[in-house]
Amino acid sequence: MTPISKDPGTGVLLDAGEIRRATTRIAHEILERNKGADDVVLVGIAARGDDLATRLAEQIAEIEGTKVAVGALDITFYRDDIGMRAEAPEVHETRIDFDVTGKVVVLVDDVLFTGRTIRAALDAVTDFGRAEAIQLAVLVDRGHRELPIRADYVGKNVPTRSDEIVRVLLEEVDGEDAVVVEEPR
Amino acid sequence: MKRHLLSMHDLTPEDVVRVLDTAESFREVGTRVIKKVPALRGRTVVNLFYENSTRTRISFELAAKRLSADVINFTTSGSSVSKGESLKDTALTLQAMGADAVVIRHSSSGSPYQLTKWLQGSVLNAGDGTHEHPTQALLDLYTMREKLGRLEGLNVAIVGDVLHSRVARSLSFGLVKMGADVTLIGPPTLIPPDAPAWGVHVSSDIDAVLPKLDVCYMLRVQRERQRQQFFPSVREYARLFGLTRERVDALPEGCVIMHPGPMNRGVEIDSDVADLPQAVIEEQVTNGIAVRMSLLYLLLGGSGPDQLEAAGPNDEATRGADDV
């Protein structure tokens, strides 16, 4: 596949190489901050956060030789806008087949925007057990927070207008790696 | 999806798939230490049961509670219904109390439909007369898909008192909708005359059908609904249509045995057959909670068709692309 060229005109914020370098750096930061990966588990927020979590786990395994557990979390049932939408949102799979009690749970998501998804994810993870700590890793932080939430690990900070759409494309689901910004429709 | 669920005819095949897929996620919730999600927090679900049914009412109650909804159980004994209050006045009272959904079971066919005229919230049919029981059909479809991996092309026999069975009607409609091959088996007196128009086969010879089945679905002999005698004796019925050990041996390997419960052991199904591993009757009950959670969530999770335009145009577009 030809890599997407980073031309401001096309609205590409990160290309495949930059995404790879960002996740590698986040993997190093997770290991440094937690002094290794012994008690660390990764929980990716569907969809795409779970694929990023799998990538981070692979990189942690390469760097440290430790295999960390990876789960996928769907926060649909924890959203705070129920009844404000035309239809019930689509539900993705939740798969956390390990105990989070006593672990450092690193939540992984593609884009951090208002913070409402992360609030919902904190509620959801709490229902699975009492984690020692919960940390947050995101590929892109685009600002415009509506809740007091910040990420511990950020791939790239991107100033945006609140009406723009930041879209993360991943090889696993979209066939290519890129972060693009689109004008509102 | 429509706002109410009165009949399997209210659902398109795509709706059925969505209900079953969403139920899959709720099955996962049922395996957690904390079997509860806040999806319907602040919503009120009323279980309005004019007919006794402990298992369906408990299943709906548990489903609503696991979604964090407030649940009110309203049974006719001891309520104003026993003082002569009409269904309409009961509905208007529930409306005034702000019920978001009403789950109704009634001995009169069509009463859930009547209810939709007086209520702004969603109405879920939990069995009306001899008409339909769509949530039971959906949990049965879920169980079949879970056990056999598909619905399309399945060979399903529904055996017994089809005439009085709302389960059989809903399940037949659902299976035909999803592309399965359905054969209704029973004494000719207990097969509805219009059954061939449903798109199903009809037979009174169970032994001829058994060897090709993927699912053998036994119905309860509903003696309480039979005001006249439809077959000579229970013993004869058991001999001609009951699922015995010998008949189980004639089923192909992998064939699933189902029953909506409660069972008359020794009548439509032999006691030891009901306990075989291929009999998934208890799993049907477990799946019932997940499927009812899915339905309550899908019916109440949106703001309803009336407010479609009020929702932001970009709302759905940004989901998945962004953290919203």
Side-chain angles (χ1 to χ4, degrees), chain B residues 150-213:
Chain B
R150 69 197 160 98
L151 292 172
E152 200 178 349
L154 287 186
N155 266 310
V156 182
I158 301 175
V159 185
D161 181 1
V162 178
L163 185 67
H164 296 95
S165 173
R166 50 199 176 204
V167 174
R169 292 172 70 86
S170 286
L171 184 58
S172 298
F173 298 155
L175 283 166
V176 169
K177 194 185 290 281
M178 302 312 286
D181 201 20
V182 181
T183 308
L184 304 179
I185 302 170
T189 48
L190 288 175
I191 301 287
D194 66 331
W198 304 353
V200 299
H201 311 286
V202 172
S203 169
S204 51
D205 183 1
I206 186 171
D207 294 300
V209 180
L210 292 175
K212 62 162 193 176
L213 291 180

Side-chain angles (χ1 to χ4, degrees), chain A residues 13-136:
Chain A
L13 299 175
L14 295 175
D15 61 23
E18 285 167 313
I19 290 176
R20 194 183 62 248
R21 284 189 284 280
T23 52
T24 309
R25 179 169 50 74
I26 291 173
H28 279 286
E29 286 173 0
I30 290 171
L31 290 170
E32 192 176 338
R33 175 151 169 185
N34 297 298
K35 300 182 174 60
D38 288 343
D39 289 322
V40 174
V41 294
L42 302 175
V43 173
I45 299 171
R48 289 185 183 73
D50 46 352
D51 293 313
L52 285 170
T54 306
R55 290 187 187 190
L56 282 172
E58 282 163 8
Q59 279 163 335
I60 287 172
E62 266 176 43
I63 300 161
E64 194 80 354
T66 314
K67 232 181 138 190
V68 297
V70 182
L73 181 67
D74 180 75
I75 54 89
T76 312
F77 304 140
Y78 291 81
R79 295 173 64 112
D80 57 6
D81 59 353
I82 197 81
M84 294 163 67
R85 309 168 67 85
E87 275 229 18
E90 195 177 324
V91 180
H92 299 276
E93 186 193 21
T94 292
R95 189 187 61 257
I96 299 179
D97 45 17
F98 46 82
D99 189 5
V100 301
T101 303
K103 299 284 183 188
V104 174
V105 176
V106 182
L107 284 173
V108 183
D109 204 1
D110 53 354
V111 180
L112 178 55
F113 182 23
T114 61
R116 289 178 191 270
T117 297
I118 303 305
R119 184 212 59 79
L122 290 170
D123 277 355
V125 167
T126 312
D127 278 356
F128 280 89
R130 191 174 189 280
E132 174 69 31
I134 301 178
Q135 299 169 359
L136 175 61

Side-chain angles (χ1 to χ4, degrees), chain B residues 295-312:
Chain B
L295 285 164
L296 285 170
Y297 177 74
L298 291 172
L299 293 175
L300 293 179
S303 53
D306 297 344
Q307 283 118 52
L308 265 176
E309 283 171 20

Side-chain angles (χ1 to χ4, degrees), chain A residues 76-79 82-83 85-89 91-92 94 111-115 117 127-128 142 165-167 185, chain B residues 1 18 25-26 28 32 34 36-39 43 297 301-304 308 311 314-317 319 321-324:
Chain A
T76 312
F77 304 140
Y78 291 81
R79 295 173 64 112
I82 197 81
R85 309 168 67 85
E87 275 229 18
V91 180
H92 299 276
T94 292
V111 180
L112 178 55
F113 182 23
T114 61
T117 297
D127 278 356
F128 280 89
R142 58 169 294 191
I165 296 167
V166 175
R167 201 174 289 279
R185 275 170 283 179
Chain B
M1 278 188 40
R18 186 157 189 223
S25 300
F26 285 118
E28 182 273 319
R32 298 183 190 174
I34 298 173
K36 204 171 167 92
V37 292
R43 298 300 186 99
Y297 177 74
S303 53
L308 265 176
N314 275 327
D315 205 24
E316 203 58 38
R319 175 70 197 140
D322 257 337
D323 156 36
V324 283

